[in-house]
Amino acid sequence: MKSFTSRKAPYLFIAPAIILLTLFSLLPILVALFISFTDMDLAGLADYSNLSFIGFKNYIEVLADPVFLKAIFNTLFYVIVGVPLVIVTSLGVALLINLGVSKVFKVFRVVYYLPSVTNVVAVAVVWTYLYNPAFGLFNYILESMNLSAIPWLTEPTVAKVSLILMALWRAVGLNMIIFIAALQGIPRSYYEAAQLDGANTWQQVTKITVPMLRFAIFFVSITTMIGWLQFFEEPFIMTKGGPLDGTMSAALFIYKNGFQLSNFGYAAAGSFILFIAVIAVTLVQYRMQSKESDY
Amino acid sequence: MKGNKKDKLFQWTAGIVLTIGGILFVLPFFWMILSSFKMESEVIQIPPTLWPKEFTMENYKNLFENMNFGVYLKNTLIIVLFSFFGMFLNAMAGFGFAKYNFKGKESTFLLVLATMMIPSQVTMIPVYLILNKMNLTDTMLGIVLPGLVGAFGIFLFRQFMTTIPDEILEATRLDGASEFRIFLQIILPVSKPILAVQGILAFIGGWNSFLWPLIMANNERLYTLSVGLSLLKSQYGGNFALQMAGATFMVMPVIIIFIIFQKNIIENYTTSGSK
């Protein structure tokens, strides 16, 4: 078997992956950019001669579309409420687990990680049931404690928060693991020195641990933010974007316009605006991070 | 040691806080599983019962006899098989990047990493159009091709394979083995730990696949379990016991696999994260 000569070998090894990535990740960016300037719809899909170039019309229209603006507002709401919540919760859980001495604390890693690996559709179905105003467990618990029921998925703002709570539940696991990894990378000697100086646990956490975790916090906030900008399955399955487009996300808007209304060009323009937002957010975060580490 | 009492108090507080949080974290699973064994009438009963009065398998039977879950299961398993094949391609690419020097290596690898940044919402419409052009819509190939390889997998394989000493490869080369045989018979066996982790992640990813089958499949023949379950929710929205059985059926295999292999998965993240 000499089919692989050593000079060609590396190219043959990477070829399948590179071809697939080019075809389904890189090339689509160009295609998306192109069709965002056209009126591509079902007729255009059937026969490319039906396609006409319409310049920035899609962009101008989508930026004036009240549903799109609502989706952008909701997406910002998800990011602004969701990101800090995910960071604080997963960091808190990671700290508690990491500071625990007993072996039992390792069990908690599994418990908190579990929601991360489970199917988002199944999870959304289950939470819809938990949130159900009439038969749901959550309102039953609230009522049995003599508190008033909450319109979990039926009031626009509350519905957004409900989706965030559920997504938080799924997000804690993976981020907690990243924080635990970073915590274990902090040299023990720092703590020993602080203990000699008489620092208590709280002082050690705030003066050593959190500053040393700056990179992990940066990483988690970037990935979480990108995740929230692409928020899709939860509103798609649980609320279909409702009530009154109150949970409509940018990603769901693109899906609906692209695949339910077949306005491919229009949806592509929306997706490009989302893409630019993702890049901008990443760059801003990156700038802030490099500025902070200057001192 | 000074402050021992305080330490003990802290340990107990941390334990209690984590336990309460942990109970809240498993509560949805608990509720889902128990509800899936209840009669429909019991599921919508007020006040709700925690433990089923009478265990029934009716919901599960219903899924397979009337809801096509057998077909969905078959499709999902086919996708899982393909994702193992995709993992093999990732490993090949990782090996190519880790153990060879060739022209354009750095820039190609950067390009691979750059694909991680692209939101799937941007590519989903063009990929649909490309597959439509290739006459692959409404086919299994169209469902699996776009997700077959991934930058993250390639990256992890490359990281791991860089640490394999070159001497082993050289020795095998001197024995006259082809490069592909070196990959199959030397590299893959040595890479068992990373293959195990990637294999589990490939299984979970394939088992959970949702968005792409939803877009590609025009009829139930090609639906996956996730798509079937979302269909079930929109068509039998009021039938919670049935939905809970579907959800349990989707979630339990992953939970079982995860609990068996959790040490590998978590440790892999922990070590790759601290490097």
Side-chain angles (χ1 to χ4, degrees), chain A residues 1-2 4-6 9-14 16-18 20-21 23-29 31-32 35 40 45 48 93 96-97 99-102 105-106 108-115 117-119 121-130 132 134-135 137-138 140-141 168-169 172 174 177 180-181 184-185 195 201 226 230 232-233 236-238 240 251 254-255 258-259 264 267-268 271-272 274-275 278-279 282, chain B residues 1 7 10-11 14-15 17-19 21-22 24-29 31-32 35 43-44 46-48 89 92-93 95-97 100 102-103 108 111-112 115 117-134 145-146 148-151 154 176-181 183 204 207-208 210-211 214-215 226 229-230 233-234 240 243-244 247 250-251 254-255 258-259 262 265-267 269-270 273-274:
Chain A
M1 272 231 332
K2 267 280 171 190
F4 275 105
T5 59
S6 36
Y11 296 107
L12 293 170
F13 277 120
I14 65 167
I18 298 298
L20 286 169
L21 280 179
L23 196 56
F24 296 117
S25 275
L26 297 169
L27 179 67
I29 294 290
V31 177
I35 59 171
M40 174 74 112
L45 187 65
Y48 284 1
V93 173
L96 288 177
I97 290 179
L99 289 168
V101 212
S102 150
F105 285 86
K106 283 211 165 173
F108 287 123
R109 295 201 310 193
V110 182
V111 168
Y112 285 90
Y113 193 83
L114 212 49
V117 289
T118 49
N119 184 290
V121 180
V123 158
V125 166
V126 173
W127 280 68
T128 312
Y129 176 41
L130 292 168
N132 186 288
F135 326 110
L137 181 64
F138 291 161
Y140 174 73
I141 293 173
L168 171 73
W169 175 75
V172 164
L174 186 59
I177 295 295
I180 289 180
Q184 289 172 354
Q195 274 161 11
T201 311
I226 292 176
Q230 302 182 40
F232 172 75
E233 280 94 347
F236 176 72
I237 293 158
M238 295 174 77
K240 303 225 179 310
I254 296 162
Y255 174 85
F259 295 103
F264 297 113
S271 77
F272 243 83
L274 178 69
F275 189 28
V278 170
I279 293 175
T282 315
Chain B
M1 247 207 172
D7 260 13
F10 174 82
Q11 292 292 327
V17 171
L18 285 171
T19 309
L24 289 176
F25 261 65
V26 293
L27 180 77
F29 293 127
W31 191 245
M32 168 191 80
S35 303
V43 156
I44 54 168
I46 302 167
L89 295 182
M92 267 172 64
F95 174 61
F97 282 119
Y100 295 96
F102 54 90
K103 230 178 118 191
T108 321
L111 215 59
V112 169
T115 61
M117 286 277 301
I118 303 169
S120 58
Q121 283 78 23
V122 179
T123 50
M124 107 189 144
I125 290 166
V127 168
Y128 176 80
L129 299 178
I130 291 170
L131 288 170
N132 186 57
K133 201 80 198 145
M134 294 162 79
L145 266 187
L148 211 50
V149 298
I154 297 174
S178 75
E179 300 296 314
F180 196 66
R181 263 188 70 184
F183 173 69
I204 294 176
W207 180 261
N208 288 345
F210 171 63
L211 181 59
L214 176 77
I215 291 173
S226 300
L229 186 60
S230 72
K233 173 159 186 304
S234 52
F240 292 111
Q243 291 180 47
M244 291 310 112
M250 285 232 61
V251 163
V254 171
I255 290 189
F258 175 71
I259 288 178
Q262 48 88 13
I265 300 177
I266 292 180
E267 229 94 289
Y269 271 113
T270 319
S274 57

Side-chain angles (χ1 to χ4, degrees), chain B residues 5-160:
Chain B
K5 227 179 190 172
K6 248 186 176 170
D7 260 13
K8 225 174 196 168
L9 184 72
F10 174 82
Q11 292 292 327
W12 274 100
T13 324
I16 290 167
V17 171
L18 285 171
T19 309
I20 294 170
I23 291 172
L24 289 176
F25 261 65
V26 293
L27 180 77
F29 293 127
F30 205 61
W31 191 245
M32 168 191 80
I33 295 168
L34 287 176
S35 303
S36 75
F37 293 110
K38 289 178 189 168
M39 303 291 220
E40 186 51 36
S41 55
E42 194 183 345
V43 156
I44 54 168
Q45 191 178 302
I46 302 167
T49 49
L50 181 64
W51 206 255
K53 277 184 220 140
E54 191 184 341
F55 272 85
T56 172
M57 291 301 283
E58 201 53 44
N59 300 311
Y60 289 93
K61 244 173 77 187
N62 205 349
L63 285 179
F64 284 89
E65 281 173 3
N66 307 320
M67 304 290 162
N68 271 331
F69 262 56
V71 177
Y72 306 157
L73 176 63
K74 192 195 82 196
N75 290 333
T76 307
L77 290 175
I78 292 174
I79 291 179
V80 167
L81 278 182
F82 271 107
S83 56
F84 285 132
F85 175 67
M87 178 182 76
F88 180 75
L89 295 182
N90 282 342
M92 267 172 64
F95 174 61
F97 282 119
K99 284 293 162 203
Y100 295 96
N101 276 315
F102 54 90
K103 230 178 118 191
K105 174 173 150 176
E106 299 300 322
S107 48
T108 321
F109 191 63
L110 268 180
L111 215 59
V112 169
L113 292 185
T115 61
M116 280 203 277
M117 286 277 301
I118 303 169
S120 58
Q121 283 78 23
V122 179
T123 50
M124 107 189 144
I125 290 166
V127 168
Y128 176 80
L129 299 178
I130 291 170
L131 288 170
N132 186 57
K133 201 80 198 145
M134 294 162 79
N135 279 326
L136 286 177
T137 48
D138 211 20
T139 64
M140 192 43 98
L141 203 59
I143 291 174
V144 295
L145 266 187
L148 211 50
V149 298
F152 187 62
I154 297 174
F155 178 75
L156 283 186
F157 276 119
R158 190 199 80 133
Q159 292 296 85
F160 184 88

Side-chain angles (χ1 to χ4, degrees), chain A residues 216-259:
Chain A
I217 293 173
F218 167 68
F219 180 79
V220 167
S221 59
I222 286 260
T223 49
T224 308
M225 199 173 288
I226 292 176
W228 284 114
L229 285 172
Q230 302 182 40
F231 201 46
F232 172 75
E233 280 94 347
E234 291 85 346
F236 176 72
I237 293 158
M238 295 174 77
T239 57
K240 303 225 179 310
L244 302 169
D245 296 322
T247 58
M248 176 72 75
S249 67
L252 184 54
F253 176 88
I254 296 162
Y255 174 85
K256 278 195 163 172
N257 278 282
F259 295 103

Side-chain angles (χ1 to χ4, degrees), chain A residues 80-98:
Chain A
I80 292 166
V81 180
V83 173
L85 214 55
V86 168
I87 294 178
V88 170
T89 315
S90 31
L91 182 57
V93 173
L95 279 173
L96 288 177
I97 290 179
N98 197 54

